[in-house]
Amino acid sequence: MERSIPYDVVIVGSGGGGLRAAISAAESGAKVLIVAKGKINRSGSTLLAGANLSADIACDGRSLYEMGLSEWNKDDSKDKFFEDVCHEGFYLGNQRLVRRFVDDAPDRIRELMDWGMEVLGLEGERGISVFGSAILDSLFRRVRELGIPYVENTVFTDLVVENGAVAGCTCVDLLSGDIRYIPAKAVVLATGGSHGIFRNNSGPSDCCGEGPAAALRAGAELIDMEMISFCPAVILYPEMYKGNILPYIMNTTGYGQFINKYGKTFTQRYLSPRVEALALDTEWNKMLLSYVMQKEINSRRCNRYGGVYYTLALSPQELREELYNDLPSLAKGIYGDIMEIFHSGRCVTCAPFAHYFEGGVRVDENMAASLPGLFGAGECTGGMFGANRVSAATTEMLVEGNIAGASAAAYARDAVPGQASEAHLKELEDALLLPFRTTGGPSPVELRQELQDITGSCLSVLRTQEKLDKGLERIGQLREALGRASLAAQTRKYNREWLDYLQLRNGVVTAGATILAASLRKESRGVHVREDCCYTDNVQYLKNLVVTDCQGGTRWEEPVHTAVRPEPVRRDYIPYVEEVIEKLS
Amino acid sequence: MREIAVKILREAETGRGHYQTYTVEVDDHAVVSVMTLLEKIYTTQDHTLAFFSHAACRQAACGKCMVKVNGAVKLACKEKVTGDQITLEPYSPKVVRDLLCEN
């Protein structure tokens, strides 16, 4: 295995969280390297935030007013924002992290504007609207100013641990196939969500859960893994546009409607008019609408493609003009292509798709994991939002990235540089090259299908004990099959099947931890809905579930509450959602 | 069902480039992209095919999945396939493997 020159801090991931972490680590004086899976300023989910039509960055209304951005909500305060985020997470969020989130948000927005980010307008009472690409461009401008080096097309595989502390990481250069050890005193994981474990996901193809899986293998812990937000209305068919969240964006703006195969609307079947209004008019729409959509899809009213239809009224002409007036971006690019479907008198099929992963690497308010030298930022971490993310993931990645980079740099200042032993590196290399040594085994392509069959069957919006237990059993079999995997091509140069293997090696870990966590939380809370336990139980389950190792070790932990505590009640799921929404400012 | 003949220039990086043709079946009214076809071929017919796939947004935002479609450089995820045959080639002379080029 090649050894690169040593660094103080290696940042894994080059979405918003990774770039922001690199900036603060470099500004703190650390020697930094960024490892990008794809292109440095075009990797990760940040680019797709708000379908690259309108990503929102959240911040309290008072601060927006003070920055001269909004007059709308000047009576708002950081305290009100803090309390709302705590309620929205159904009391599982780490309130010390939430405090940092609301306190730091205005500074993160201000600096992005200083670095040249264009603000398009406002998004609701607590957010500005920008292009996801504009966030990346302004962060990258600052990265270049600071002269931070980076590598591209490089997939992170493992953390290297010596004497109980991080001593760097290993990566594969996808174009050459070379495996490289990068010695470092500290590593910041900013690998994003675990979208790739789901066939139906709204993320880019890079986000495969490398961070949480490698962290767990290396001895760090994961938290809140059972919590996954689904985007309720993502295109399932036509296949070409699968994964696009445009129907969700249009529906949130107020346009179009969902109908089942009989052409009937159905939200009223599952939600009272009051809750339905809440579901459609508030940011809670993701959770509540996903619940409704999945209920309908699981019924005989599901359409032939396995979803429900999203239709758009384009006649009379005035309605068409209203739509294009509100959403001018629909006229061009890929959205123009999607609109052609509606103009030709057809529509699209939608279903809830895995969208945002609340759980991940367990970190404290300094973004430090339990493993010395390991830090995390953004979606690959867990803890901030608890059982439901309503506020913006963009703010999360910026706030956490800033903290993680500075914490990692401070840690690296005092840390003794660790160097991995040859024996340890050989062991890691052997694990990565395993399918090249095997012949006649299953292909990672088929095993990936199996993983996605498993997650689709038991980790969708509506979960049951029986399905989860079965899923866990199948994960065990898949893990065993992965040990026998072999490849059709023996080259290491851009071998997609090998990449599928490397991603699966992580996917079985994150999916296994997620199914395990979902099977142990025998209640419904936030985005975790158990059809067989349709109540939220603050008596027994007001706790975070921590996954402690790859062998199925877990522990329940008291949540970090500093200010907001719920009543110790047990209520039916939907009525409790309604109760919690009433507490919001 | 509609059959699409997909002719792909492979192994140009070795100096011994050759065309390989795959037949992909899609629904009659299916709207498919070049990326859909490549994924179908990779998944069901040929696990050795290389094309940009490790960090693709699949929504014409990242601009990384460029490929030459019937002689013109296009984004694989945005390019709709209408006819019953199509030729795919690497978009630049700096080929890493099959359809993947250095970028």
Coordinates of all heavy atoms in Angstrom, one line a residue, chain A residues 37-39 42-43 47-48 52 153 174-175 201-206 237-241 243-244 333-335 337 340 443 445-446 448-449 488-489 491 493-497 499-500, chain B residues 13 27 29-33 36 39-40 42-44 47-62 64 76-81 95-97 100-103:
Chain A
K37 N -14.8 12.2 -3.0 CA -15.2 11.0 -3.8 C -15.3 11.3 -5.3 O -15.0 10.5 -6.1 CB -16.4 10.4 -3.2 CG -16.8 9.0 -3.8 CD -17.8 8.3 -2.9 CE -18.2 6.9 -3.5 NZ -19.2 6.2 -2.7
G38 N -15.9 12.4 -5.6 CA -16.1 12.8 -7.0 C -15.3 14.1 -7.2 O -14.1 14.1 -6.9
K39 N -15.9 15.1 -7.8 CA -15.2 16.3 -8.1 C -15.3 17.2 -6.8 O -16.4 17.2 -6.2 CB -15.9 17.0 -9.3 CG -15.1 18.2 -9.8 CD -15.7 18.7 -11.1 CE -15.2 20.1 -11.4 NZ -13.7 20.2 -11.5
R42 N -18.3 19.5 -6.5 CA -19.6 19.0 -7.0 C -20.0 17.6 -6.5 O -20.7 16.9 -7.1 CB -19.6 19.0 -8.6 CG -19.6 20.4 -9.2 CD -21.0 21.0 -9.0 NE -21.2 22.3 -9.6 CZ -20.9 23.4 -8.9 NH1 -20.4 23.4 -7.7 NH2 -21.1 24.6 -9.4
S43 N -19.4 17.3 -5.3 CA -19.8 16.0 -4.7 C -20.8 16.2 -3.6 O -21.0 17.3 -3.1 CB -18.5 15.4 -4.1 OG -17.6 15.0 -5.1
L47 N -25.2 19.8 -3.4 CA -25.6 20.2 -4.8 C -27.1 20.1 -5.0 O -27.7 20.9 -5.8 CB -24.8 19.4 -5.8 CG -24.9 19.8 -7.2 CD1 -24.4 21.2 -7.5 CD2 -24.1 18.8 -8.1
L48 N -27.7 19.0 -4.5 CA -29.1 18.7 -4.8 C -30.0 19.3 -3.8 O -31.2 19.1 -3.9 CB -29.3 17.2 -4.8 CG -28.5 16.4 -5.9 CD1 -28.8 15.0 -5.9 CD2 -28.8 17.0 -7.3
N52 N -31.7 21.8 -6.3 CA -30.9 22.9 -6.9 C -31.8 24.0 -7.6 O -31.4 24.7 -8.5 CB -29.8 22.4 -7.9 CG -28.7 23.4 -8.1 OD1 -28.4 24.2 -7.2 ND2 -28.1 23.3 -9.3
N153 N -11.9 12.0 -7.0 CA -12.2 10.6 -7.5 C -11.6 9.6 -6.6 O -11.0 8.6 -7.0 CB -11.7 10.4 -8.9 CG -12.4 11.4 -9.9 OD1 -13.6 11.5 -9.8 ND2 -11.7 12.1 -10.7
L174 N -9.9 5.9 -7.5 CA -10.8 5.1 -8.4 C -10.2 5.0 -9.8 O -10.4 3.9 -10.5 CB -12.2 5.7 -8.4 CG -13.0 5.4 -7.1 CD1 -14.2 6.3 -7.2 CD2 -13.3 4.0 -7.0
L175 N -9.5 6.0 -10.3 CA -9.1 6.0 -11.7 C -7.9 5.0 -11.9 O -7.8 4.3 -12.9 CB -8.7 7.4 -12.2 CG -9.8 8.5 -12.1 CD1 -9.4 9.7 -12.9 CD2 -11.1 8.0 -12.5
N201 N -33.8 6.2 -3.4 CA -33.3 7.3 -2.6 C -33.2 8.6 -3.4 O -33.1 8.5 -4.7 CB -31.9 6.9 -2.0 CG -30.8 6.9 -3.1 OD1 -30.4 8.0 -3.5 ND2 -30.4 5.7 -3.5
S202 N -33.1 9.7 -2.8 CA -33.1 11.0 -3.5 C -31.7 11.6 -3.5 O -31.6 12.8 -3.8 CB -34.1 12.0 -2.8 OG -33.6 12.3 -1.5
G203 N -30.7 10.8 -3.2 CA -29.4 11.4 -3.1 C -28.6 11.2 -4.4 O -29.0 10.4 -5.3
P204 N -27.4 11.7 -4.4 CA -26.4 11.4 -5.5 C -25.8 10.1 -5.3 O -25.9 9.5 -4.2 CB -25.4 12.5 -5.4 CG -25.4 12.8 -3.9 CD -26.8 12.6 -3.4
S205 N -25.2 9.5 -6.3 CA -24.7 8.1 -6.1 C -23.5 8.0 -5.2 O -23.1 6.9 -4.8 CB -24.3 7.5 -7.5 OG -23.2 8.1 -8.0
D206 N -22.9 9.1 -4.8 CA -21.7 9.0 -3.9 C -22.0 8.7 -2.5 O -21.2 8.1 -1.8 CB -20.9 10.3 -3.9 CG -21.5 11.6 -4.5 OD1 -22.6 11.5 -5.1 OD2 -20.9 12.6 -4.4
Y237 N -41.4 6.9 -11.5 CA -41.5 6.5 -12.9 C -42.0 7.8 -13.6 O -42.9 8.5 -13.0 CB -42.6 5.4 -13.0 CG -42.6 4.8 -14.4 CD1 -41.7 3.7 -14.7 CD2 -43.4 5.3 -15.4 CE1 -41.7 3.2 -16.0 CE2 -43.4 4.7 -16.7 CZ -42.5 3.7 -16.9 OH -42.5 3.1 -18.2
P238 N -41.5 8.1 -14.8 CA -40.6 7.4 -15.6 C -39.2 7.3 -15.0 O -38.7 8.2 -14.3 CB -40.5 8.3 -16.9 CG -41.5 9.3 -16.8 CD -42.0 9.4 -15.4
E239 N -38.6 6.1 -15.3 CA -37.3 5.8 -14.8 C -36.2 6.8 -14.9 O -35.3 7.0 -14.1 CB -36.8 4.5 -15.4 CG -35.9 3.6 -14.6 CD -35.7 2.3 -15.2 OE1 -36.4 1.9 -16.1 OE2 -34.7 1.6 -14.8
M240 N -36.2 7.5 -16.1 CA -35.2 8.5 -16.4 C -35.1 9.5 -15.3 O -34.0 10.1 -15.0 CB -35.5 9.1 -17.7 CG -34.5 10.3 -18.1 SD -34.7 10.8 -19.8 CE -33.6 12.2 -19.8
Y241 N -36.2 9.9 -14.7 CA -36.2 11.0 -13.7 C -36.3 10.4 -12.2 O -36.6 11.2 -11.3 CB -37.3 11.9 -14.0 CG -37.2 12.5 -15.4 CD1 -38.1 12.2 -16.4 CD2 -36.1 13.3 -15.7 CE1 -38.0 12.7 -17.6 CE2 -36.0 13.8 -17.0 CZ -36.9 13.5 -17.9 OH -36.7 14.0 -19.2
G243 N -35.8 9.5 -8.6 CA -35.0 10.2 -7.6 C -35.1 11.7 -7.5 O -34.7 12.3 -6.6
N244 N -35.8 12.2 -8.5 CA -36.0 13.7 -8.6 C -37.1 14.1 -7.6 O -38.2 13.6 -7.7 CB -36.3 14.1 -10.0 CG -35.9 15.6 -10.2 OD1 -36.6 16.5 -9.6 ND2 -35.0 15.9 -11.1
G333 N -33.9 23.4 -18.8 CA -33.0 22.3 -18.3 C -33.8 21.0 -18.1 O -34.8 20.8 -18.8
I334 N -33.4 20.3 -17.1 CA -34.0 19.0 -16.8 C -35.5 19.2 -16.3 O -36.3 18.3 -16.6 CB -33.2 18.2 -15.8 CG1 -33.7 16.7 -15.8 CG2 -33.3 18.7 -14.4 CD1 -32.6 15.7 -15.3
Y335 N -35.8 20.3 -15.7 CA -37.2 20.5 -15.3 C -38.1 20.8 -16.5 O -39.2 20.4 -16.5 CB -37.2 21.7 -14.2 CG -36.4 21.3 -13.0 CD1 -35.3 21.9 -12.6 CD2 -36.8 20.1 -12.3 CE1 -34.6 21.5 -11.5 CE2 -36.1 19.7 -11.2 CZ -35.0 20.4 -10.8 OH -34.3 19.9 -9.7
D337 N -37.6 19.4 -19.3 CA -37.9 18.0 -19.8 C -39.0 17.3 -19.0 O -39.9 16.6 -19.6 CB -36.6 17.2 -19.7 CG -35.5 17.7 -20.6 OD1 -35.8 18.6 -21.4 OD2 -34.3 17.3 -20.4
E340 N -42.4 18.5 -19.8 CA -43.0 18.0 -21.1 C -43.9 16.8 -20.9 O -44.9 16.6 -21.6 CB -41.8 17.5 -22.0 CG -41.2 18.6 -22.8 CD -40.0 18.0 -23.6 OE1 -40.0 16.8 -24.0 OE2 -39.1 18.8 -23.9
S443 N -21.6 -12.0 -7.6 CA -21.2 -10.6 -8.0 C -21.7 -9.6 -7.0 O -22.8 -9.6 -6.5 CB -21.7 -10.3 -9.4 OG -21.6 -8.9 -9.6
V445 N -22.8 -6.9 -7.7 CA -24.0 -6.3 -8.4 C -25.3 -7.0 -7.8 O -26.2 -6.3 -7.4 CB -23.9 -6.4 -9.9 CG1 -25.2 -5.8 -10.5 CG2 -22.7 -5.7 -10.4
E446 N -25.2 -8.3 -7.8 CA -26.4 -9.0 -7.3 C -26.6 -8.8 -5.8 O -27.7 -8.7 -5.3 CB -26.3 -10.5 -7.6 CG -26.7 -10.9 -9.1 CD -25.6 -10.8 -10.0 OE1 -24.5 -11.4 -9.8 OE2 -25.7 -10.1 -11.1
R448 N -25.7 -6.2 -4.2 CA -26.3 -4.9 -3.9 C -27.8 -4.9 -4.1 O -28.5 -4.3 -3.4 CB -25.6 -3.9 -4.9 CG -26.2 -2.5 -4.8 CD -25.4 -1.5 -5.6 NE -25.1 -1.8 -6.9 CZ -25.8 -1.4 -8.0 NH1 -26.9 -0.6 -7.8 NH2 -25.5 -1.8 -9.2
Q449 N -28.3 -5.6 -5.1 CA -29.7 -5.8 -5.3 C -30.3 -6.4 -4.1 O -31.4 -6.0 -3.6 CB -30.0 -6.7 -6.5 CG -29.3 -6.3 -7.8 CD -30.1 -5.2 -8.5 OE1 -31.0 -4.6 -8.0 NE2 -29.7 -5.0 -9.8
A488 N -16.1 -9.8 -12.2 CA -16.0 -10.2 -13.6 C -14.7 -9.7 -14.3 O -14.1 -10.4 -15.1 CB -17.2 -9.7 -14.4
A489 N -14.3 -8.5 -13.9 CA -13.0 -8.0 -14.5 C -12.0 -7.9 -13.4 O -12.3 -7.5 -12.3 CB -13.3 -6.6 -15.0
T491 N -9.2 -6.0 -13.5 CA -8.5 -4.7 -13.4 C -8.9 -3.9 -12.2 O -10.1 -4.1 -11.7 CB -8.8 -3.9 -14.7 OG1 -8.1 -2.6 -14.5 CG2 -10.2 -3.6 -14.9
K493 N -8.5 -0.6 -12.3 CA -8.7 0.7 -12.9 C -10.2 0.9 -13.1 O -10.9 0.3 -13.9 CB -8.0 0.9 -14.2 CG -6.6 1.4 -14.1 CD -5.9 1.4 -15.4 CE -6.5 2.2 -16.5 NZ -5.7 2.2 -17.8
Y494 N -10.8 1.9 -12.4 CA -12.2 2.2 -12.5 C -13.1 1.0 -12.7 O -13.8 0.9 -13.6 CB -12.5 3.2 -13.6 CG -13.8 4.0 -13.2 CD1 -13.7 5.0 -12.2 CD2 -15.0 3.7 -13.8 CE1 -14.9 5.7 -11.9 CE2 -16.1 4.4 -13.4 CZ -16.1 5.4 -12.4 OH -17.2 6.0 -12.0
N495 N -12.9 0.1 -11.7 CA -13.7 -1.2 -11.8 C -15.0 -1.0 -10.9 O -15.0 -1.0 -9.7 CB -12.9 -2.3 -11.2 CG -13.5 -3.7 -11.4 OD1 -14.8 -3.7 -11.4 ND2 -12.8 -4.7 -11.4
R496 N -16.1 -0.7 -11.6 CA -17.4 -0.4 -10.9 C -17.8 -1.5 -10.0 O -18.4 -1.3 -8.9 CB -18.4 -0.1 -12.0 CG -19.9 -0.1 -11.5 CD -20.3 1.2 -10.9 NE -21.7 1.1 -10.4 CZ -22.8 1.4 -11.1 NH1 -22.7 1.8 -12.3 NH2 -23.9 1.3 -10.5
E497 N -17.6 -2.7 -10.4 CA -18.0 -3.9 -9.6 C -17.2 -3.9 -8.3 O -17.8 -4.3 -7.3 CB -17.8 -5.2 -10.4 CG -18.8 -6.3 -10.0 CD -18.5 -7.6 -10.8 OE1 -17.5 -7.6 -11.5 OE2 -19.3 -8.5 -10.7
L499 N -16.0 -1.2 -6.9 CA -16.5 -0.1 -6.1 C -17.8 -0.5 -5.5 O -18.1 -0.2 -4.3 CB -16.8 1.1 -7.1 CG -17.5 2.3 -6.4 CD1 -16.6 2.9 -5.3 CD2 -17.9 3.4 -7.4
D500 N -18.7 -1.3 -6.2 CA -19.9 -1.8 -5.6 C -19.6 -2.7 -4.4 O -20.2 -2.6 -3.3 CB -20.7 -2.7 -6.6 CG -21.7 -1.8 -7.4 OD1 -22.1 -0.8 -6.8 OD2 -22.1 -2.2 -8.5
Chain B
E13 N -8.8 2.9 -24.4 CA -7.6 3.3 -23.6 C -6.4 2.3 -23.9 O -5.2 2.7 -23.6 CB -7.9 3.3 -22.1 CG -8.1 1.9 -21.4 CD -9.5 1.3 -21.7 OE1 -10.3 2.0 -22.4 OE2 -9.8 0.3 -21.1
D27 N -40.0 -0.6 -21.7 CA -41.5 -0.5 -22.0 C -41.7 0.4 -23.2 O -40.9 1.3 -23.5 CB -42.2 0.1 -20.8 CG -42.3 -0.9 -19.6 OD1 -42.1 -2.1 -19.9 OD2 -42.5 -0.4 -18.5
H29 N -43.7 2.9 -23.8 CA -43.8 4.3 -23.6 C -42.8 4.8 -22.6 O -42.8 6.0 -22.1 CB -45.2 4.7 -23.1 CG -46.2 4.3 -24.1 ND1 -46.4 5.0 -25.3 CD2 -47.2 3.3 -24.2 CE1 -47.4 4.5 -26.0 NE2 -47.8 3.4 -25.3
A30 N -41.8 4.0 -22.3 CA -40.8 4.3 -21.2 C -40.0 5.5 -21.7 O -39.6 5.6 -22.8 CB -39.9 3.2 -20.9
V31 N -39.8 6.5 -20.8 CA -38.8 7.6 -21.0 C -37.5 7.2 -20.4 O -37.4 7.0 -19.2 CB -39.4 8.9 -20.4 CG1 -38.4 10.0 -20.7 CG2 -40.8 9.2 -20.8
V32 N -36.5 6.9 -21.2 CA -35.2 6.5 -20.7 C -34.1 7.4 -21.1 O -34.2 8.0 -22.2 CB -34.9 5.0 -21.1 CG1 -35.8 4.0 -20.4 CG2 -34.9 4.9 -22.6
S33 N -33.1 7.5 -20.3 CA -31.9 8.3 -20.6 C -30.8 7.4 -21.0 O -30.8 6.2 -20.8 CB -31.5 9.1 -19.4 OG -31.1 8.3 -18.3
T36 N -29.8 5.6 -17.9 CA -30.7 4.4 -17.6 C -30.2 3.2 -18.4 O -30.1 2.1 -17.8 CB -32.1 4.7 -18.1 OG1 -32.5 6.0 -17.7 CG2 -33.1 3.7 -17.4
E39 N -26.9 1.9 -17.0 CA -27.1 1.2 -15.7 C -27.7 -0.2 -15.9 O -27.4 -1.2 -15.3 CB -28.0 2.0 -14.8 CG -27.3 3.2 -14.1 CD -26.3 2.8 -13.0 OE1 -26.4 1.7 -12.5 OE2 -25.4 3.6 -12.7
K40 N -28.7 -0.3 -16.9 CA -29.3 -1.5 -17.2 C -28.3 -2.5 -17.7 O -28.3 -3.7 -17.4 CB -30.4 -1.3 -18.2 CG -31.8 -0.9 -17.6 CD -32.8 -0.8 -18.7 CE -34.1 -0.2 -18.2 NZ -34.8 -1.0 -17.2
Y42 N -25.0 -2.5 -17.3 CA -24.1 -2.9 -16.2 C -24.7 -3.9 -15.3 O -24.1 -4.9 -14.9 CB -23.6 -1.6 -15.5 CG -22.9 -2.0 -14.2 CD1 -21.6 -2.5 -14.2 CD2 -23.5 -1.8 -12.9 CE1 -21.0 -2.9 -13.0 CE2 -22.9 -2.1 -11.8 CZ -21.6 -2.7 -11.8 OH -21.0 -3.0 -10.6
T43 N -25.9 -3.6 -14.9 CA -26.6 -4.4 -13.9 C -27.0 -5.8 -14.4 O -26.8 -6.8 -13.7 CB -27.8 -3.7 -13.3 OG1 -27.4 -2.4 -12.9 CG2 -28.5 -4.4 -12.2
T44 N -27.5 -5.9 -15.6 CA -28.1 -7.2 -16.0 C -27.3 -7.9 -17.1 O -27.5 -9.1 -17.3 CB -29.5 -6.9 -16.6 OG1 -29.5 -6.1 -17.7 CG2 -30.4 -6.3 -15.5
H47 N -21.0 -6.8 -16.2 CA -20.5 -6.1 -15.0 C -19.2 -5.4 -15.2 O -18.6 -4.8 -14.3 CB -20.4 -7.1 -13.8 CG -21.7 -7.7 -13.4 ND1 -22.9 -7.2 -13.7 CD2 -21.9 -8.9 -12.8 CE1 -23.9 -8.0 -13.2 NE2 -23.3 -9.0 -12.6
T48 N -18.6 -5.6 -16.4 CA -17.3 -5.0 -16.7 C -17.3 -3.7 -17.3 O -16.3 -3.0 -17.5 CB -16.4 -6.0 -17.6 OG1 -16.9 -6.0 -18.9 CG2 -16.4 -7.4 -17.0
L49 N -18.5 -3.2 -17.7 CA -18.6 -1.9 -18.4 C -18.3 -0.7 -17.5 O -18.8 -0.7 -16.4 CB -20.1 -1.8 -18.9 CG -20.3 -0.5 -19.7 CD1 -19.6 -0.5 -21.1 CD2 -21.8 -0.4 -20.0
A50 N -17.4 0.2 -17.9 CA -17.0 1.3 -17.1 C -17.6 2.6 -17.7 O -17.5 2.9 -18.9 CB -15.5 1.4 -17.1
F51 N -18.3 3.4 -16.9 CA -18.8 4.7 -17.2 C -19.0 5.5 -16.0 O -19.0 4.9 -14.9 CB -20.2 4.5 -17.9 CG -21.2 3.8 -17.1 CD1 -22.2 4.5 -16.4 CD2 -21.2 2.4 -17.1 CE1 -23.1 3.8 -15.6 CE2 -22.2 1.7 -16.3 CZ -23.1 2.4 -15.6
F52 N -19.1 6.8 -16.1 CA -19.0 7.6 -14.8 C -20.2 7.3 -14.0 O -21.4 7.4 -14.4 CB -19.1 9.1 -15.2 CG -19.0 10.0 -14.0 CD1 -17.7 10.4 -13.5 CD2 -20.1 10.4 -13.3 CE1 -17.6 11.1 -12.4 CE2 -20.0 11.2 -12.2 CZ -18.7 11.6 -11.7
S53 N -19.9 6.8 -12.7 CA -21.1 6.4 -11.9 C -20.8 6.5 -10.4 O -21.7 6.3 -9.6 CB -21.4 4.9 -12.2 OG -20.2 4.1 -12.1
H54 N -19.6 6.9 -10.0 CA -19.3 6.9 -8.6 C -19.7 8.2 -7.8 O -19.8 8.1 -6.6 CB -17.8 6.7 -8.4 CG -16.9 7.8 -8.9 ND1 -16.7 8.0 -10.2 CD2 -16.2 8.8 -8.3 CE1 -15.9 9.1 -10.4 NE2 -15.6 9.6 -9.2
A55 N -20.0 9.2 -8.5 CA -20.4 10.5 -7.8 C -21.3 11.3 -8.7 O -21.0 12.4 -9.1 CB -19.2 11.3 -7.4
A56 N -22.4 10.6 -9.2 CA -23.3 11.2 -10.1 C -24.5 11.7 -9.5 O -25.1 11.0 -8.7 CB -23.7 10.1 -11.2
C57 N -24.9 12.9 -9.8 CA -26.1 13.5 -9.2 C -27.4 12.9 -9.9 O -28.4 12.9 -9.3 CB -26.1 15.0 -9.3 SG -26.5 15.7 -10.9
R58 N -27.2 12.5 -11.1 CA -28.3 11.9 -11.9 C -29.4 12.9 -12.2 O -30.5 12.6 -12.6 CB -29.0 10.7 -11.2 CG -27.9 9.6 -10.9 CD -28.5 8.4 -10.2 NE -28.6 8.7 -8.8 CZ -28.7 7.7 -7.8 NH1 -28.6 6.5 -8.2 NH2 -28.8 8.1 -6.6
Q59 N -29.1 14.2 -12.0 CA -30.2 15.2 -12.2 C -29.6 16.4 -13.0 O -30.1 17.5 -12.8 CB -30.8 15.7 -10.9 CG -31.4 14.5 -10.1 CD -32.0 14.9 -8.8 OE1 -32.2 16.1 -8.5 NE2 -32.2 13.9 -8.0
A60 N -28.6 16.2 -13.8 CA -28.1 17.2 -14.7 C -27.6 18.4 -13.9 O -27.6 19.6 -14.4 CB -29.1 17.7 -15.7
A61 N -27.1 18.2 -12.7 CA -26.6 19.3 -11.9 C -25.1 19.3 -11.7 O -24.4 20.3 -11.7 CB -27.3 19.3 -10.5
C62 N -24.5 18.1 -11.7 CA -23.0 18.0 -11.4 C -22.2 18.1 -12.7 O -21.1 18.5 -12.7 CB -22.7 16.8 -10.6 SG -22.7 15.2 -11.5
K64 N -21.0 15.8 -14.6 CA -19.9 14.9 -14.7 C -20.0 13.7 -15.6 O -19.1 13.0 -15.9 CB -19.5 14.4 -13.3 CG -19.1 15.5 -12.3 CD -18.1 16.4 -12.8 CE -16.7 15.7 -13.1 NZ -15.8 16.7 -13.7
A76 N -25.1 12.0 -19.8 CA -25.8 10.7 -19.9 C -27.1 10.8 -19.2 O -28.1 10.2 -19.6 CB -24.9 9.6 -19.4
C77 N -27.2 11.5 -18.1 CA -28.4 11.5 -17.3 C -29.5 12.3 -17.9 O -30.7 12.2 -17.6 CB -28.1 12.0 -15.8 SG -27.8 13.7 -15.7
K78 N -29.1 13.3 -18.7 CA -30.1 14.3 -19.2 C -30.6 13.9 -20.7 O -31.6 14.4 -21.1 CB -29.6 15.7 -19.2 CG -30.6 16.8 -19.5 CD -30.1 18.1 -19.4 CE -31.2 19.2 -19.7 NZ -31.7 19.1 -21.0
E79 N -29.8 13.0 -21.3 CA -30.0 12.7 -22.7 C -31.1 11.7 -22.9 O -30.9 10.5 -22.6 CB -28.7 12.3 -23.4 CG -28.7 12.2 -24.9 CD -29.1 13.5 -25.6 OE1 -29.1 14.6 -25.0 OE2 -29.5 13.4 -26.8
K80 N -32.2 12.1 -23.5 CA -33.3 11.1 -23.7 C -33.0 10.2 -24.9 O -32.5 10.7 -25.9 CB -34.6 11.9 -23.9 CG -35.8 11.3 -23.4 CD -37.1 12.1 -23.7 CE -37.1 13.4 -22.9 NZ -38.3 14.2 -23.2
V81 N -33.4 9.0 -24.8 CA -33.1 8.0 -25.9 C -34.5 7.8 -26.7 O -35.4 7.3 -26.1 CB -32.6 6.7 -25.4 CG1 -32.4 5.7 -26.6 CG2 -31.4 6.9 -24.6
V95 N -9.0 8.7 -22.2 CA -9.9 7.6 -21.7 C -9.2 6.9 -20.6 O -8.0 6.5 -20.7 CB -10.2 6.6 -22.9 CG1 -11.2 5.6 -22.3 CG2 -10.8 7.4 -24.0
V96 N -9.9 6.7 -19.5 CA -9.4 5.9 -18.4 C -9.8 4.4 -18.6 O -8.9 3.5 -18.6 CB -9.9 6.3 -17.0 CG1 -9.5 5.4 -15.9 CG2 -9.5 7.8 -16.7
R97 N -11.1 4.2 -18.9 CA -11.6 2.9 -19.2 C -12.9 3.0 -19.9 O -13.8 3.7 -19.4 CB -11.7 2.0 -18.0 CG -11.0 0.7 -18.0 CD -11.3 -0.2 -16.9 NE -12.2 -1.3 -17.3 CZ -13.1 -1.9 -16.5 NH1 -13.3 -1.5 -15.3 NH2 -13.8 -2.9 -17.0
L100 N -15.3 6.1 -19.5 CA -14.8 7.0 -18.5 C -13.6 7.7 -18.9 O -12.6 7.1 -19.2 CB -14.6 6.3 -17.1 CG -14.3 7.3 -16.0 CD1 -15.5 7.8 -15.4 CD2 -13.3 6.8 -15.0
C101 N -13.6 9.0 -18.8 CA -12.4 9.8 -19.2 C -11.9 10.6 -18.0 O -12.6 10.8 -17.0 CB -12.8 10.9 -20.3 SG -13.5 10.1 -21.8
E102 N -10.6 11.0 -18.1 CA -10.1 11.9 -17.1 C -10.8 13.2 -17.1 O -11.1 13.7 -18.2 CB -8.6 12.1 -17.3 CG -7.7 11.2 -16.6 CD -6.2 11.4 -17.0 OE1 -5.8 12.6 -16.9 OE2 -5.6 10.5 -17.4
N103 N -11.1 13.8 -16.0 CA -11.9 15.0 -16.1 C -11.2 16.2 -15.3 O -10.2 16.0 -14.7 CB -13.3 14.8 -15.5 CG -13.3 14.0 -14.3 OD1 -12.6 14.3 -13.3 ND2 -14.1 12.9 -14.3

